[in-house]
Amino acid sequence: MYDFVVVGVGPPGARFARRAAEAGYDVLALEKGTIGEPLACSGHVSTDIWEFTGEGAREDLFQNEIYGARFHVGGPGSDAYPFYKDAVASNVIDRVGLDRHLAELAREAGADVRENHTVTGVTERHDRVEIVASGPDGRLEVEAKMVAGCDGPRSRVRDELGLPQPDEFLHGVLAFSEEDDHQDFVDVHLTPPTFFAWRIPRGEAGVEYGLAAPPGVQVTKHFEELIDGYEIDVSHRCSGAIPVGPPDRVTSRRAFLIGDAAAQTKPFTGGGILYSMTSADHAAREIDPDRPTTLAAYERAWRDDLAREQRLGHWIRRAYSLPEPVQRLGLGALSGEIGVHMDRPTSLVSPTHLKAMLSRLRG
Ligand SMILES: Cc1cc2nc3c(=O)[nH]c(=O)nc-3n(C[C@H](O)[C@H](O)[C@H](O)COP(=O)(O)OP(=O)(O)OC[C@H]3O[C@@H](n4cnc5c(N)ncnc54)[C@H](O)[C@@H]3O)c2cc1C
């Protein structure tokens, strides 16, 4: 019997597997495909990412550094309202490489990480969880004291155990053009209803164009308009779901969800890499596989840390739906240097941000 079976080896699955193995637990982690593939993520993250990686990661994964974002109410060519920091705000990284790196760290810590194993069944019993997977050698049946559902937005574990769904799923699309671009600003276009489109310079890895929006929005039409507006050719199109708004419960009797399965994402950007790994650390710290009551401590810990950020993130997202003249006014009034941490909207009231705003008023 394993202490933990981890389903899905994205950032939170790998991070939890690593931390639990380091704590001396017997961990099996099952990934349905090849780790990191297929890509459906921009890999645009705060520099905090390097606190979760191991030796040599930055040299291998880093693509570009970003100081700020130019907001546009319209498409390419429309007025830009820049928001920036006086230091590097974020990095653009190789997301496929990140997943492989994190999985390797889990293996080194002693977790048994297996690719090409799709979990098809999860049944909770009084004293254990039974997990069924299909792999290269056929059907695999294992037992664990607990199961971690790290299997993404359309989580099988969540469905098998009847856990509630996230509030909403956005549809995100991406494509790439090949020119080198070392600019240190991303562009954000508030053109699709209730969310946005983006352009991310990835250094020598080309330029990424993307867009996310809720169901009902004509994502393809808005994306084509973005590409046409920039007058470029793109290839390697890909897409994925972005869960927003965590359900009231992400734990059951002997199971818990981490990452997109639990909608541990930023409501105003859809980003989930940092929140998911932060939550994985809370899970590894709080959950004892021999004491199911500790699952409540995990629910508390991740919500204590992130719920306020997510609430404020929802309010920020509302600004994407304001009438255009109001958006122009607001962006015009607020643009300039800021001191906000991209993962922590509550830093809007931080001394660093207030100082930046004040010095602008004086200037
Ligand atoms: C278009 C787009 C752009 C994004 N850009 C950013 C960004 O710039 N920055 C950021 O922070 N976040 C971004 N995100 C969000 C980010 O990708 C997710 O929050 C993050 O990947 C969450 O990790 P996860 O492991 O929970 O889910 P996933 O990355 O989806 O990983 C889940 C894993 O579980 C595996 N799995 C699924 N079902 C099973 C099963 N039955 N058995 C075994 N394995 C299974 C999958 O194969 C996968 O490897 C973006 C998302 C999209 C869609």
Side-chain angles (χ1 to χ4, degrees), residues 7-13 30-37 40-45 95 99 117-120 150-154 156 172-174 198 200 208 211 239-242 258-261 264-266 270-274 276:
V7 184
V9 188
L30 300 174
E31 165 53 47
K32 78 172 173 189
T34 303
I35 285 163
E37 296 175 21
C41 176
S42 307
H44 180 217
V45 283
R95 167 65 203 266
D99 284 24
H117 282 79
T118 304
V119 169
T120 53
C150 306
D151 48 347
R154 306 285 182 196
R156 178 85 186 233
V173 290
L174 296 178
W198 62 86
I200 302 180
E208 177 195 308
L211 185 150
S239 69
I242 301 176
I258 321 179
D260 276 14
Q264 288 160 339
T265 58
K266 291 184 277 182
I273 297 175
L274 265 303
S276 72

Side-chain angles (χ1 to χ4, degrees), residues 69-236:
R70 288 183 291 252
F71 279 80
H72 306 255
V73 173
S78 63
D79 288 347
Y81 301 90
F83 290 74
Y84 53 88
K85 292 179 89 162
D86 64 354
V88 176
S90 56
N91 283 177
V92 184
I93 63 167
D94 168 3
R95 167 65 203 266
V96 174
L98 174 74
D99 284 24
R100 289 184 185 146
H101 173 78
L102 295 170
E104 201 42 49
L105 293 178
R107 284 196 177 103
E108 283 168 17
D112 180 357
V113 179
R114 297 189 206 170
E115 294 178 270
N116 303 311
H117 282 79
T118 304
V119 169
T120 53
V122 181
T123 312
E124 281 181 303
R125 304 285 178 206
H126 171 68
D127 57 347
R128 65 191 190 285
V129 192
E130 294 164 355
I131 296 109
V132 180
S134 70
D137 302 322
R139 186 179 161 94
L140 174 75
E141 289 179 23
V142 289
E143 290 183 345
K145 292 175 184 171
M146 286 203 186
V147 66
C150 306
D151 48 347
R154 306 285 182 196
S155 169
R156 178 85 186 233
V157 175
R158 189 178 64 217
D159 290 350
E160 287 279 304
L161 299 177
L163 282 166
Q165 299 281 321
D167 292 343
E168 184 187 6
F169 291 96
L170 305 180
H171 179 199
V173 290
L174 296 178
F176 301 86
S177 67
E178 278 172 11
E179 75 273 18
D180 287 9
D181 191 335
H182 294 271
Q183 278 187 76
D184 48 20
F185 270 77
V186 298
D187 287 280
V188 175
H189 298 275
L190 302 177
T191 40
T194 83
F195 220 68
F196 60 83
W198 62 86
R199 178 189 189 278
I200 302 180
R202 311 190 70 95
E204 280 153 35
V207 179
E208 177 195 308
Y209 300 84
L211 185 150
V217 173
Q218 289 179 299
V219 166
T220 312
K221 172 182 148 289
H222 285 284
F223 192 58
E224 293 310 325
E225 281 169 9
L226 180 80
I227 301 301
D228 289 349
Y230 275 109
E231 298 177 355
I232 33 96
D233 290 325
V234 291
S235 58
H236 303 100

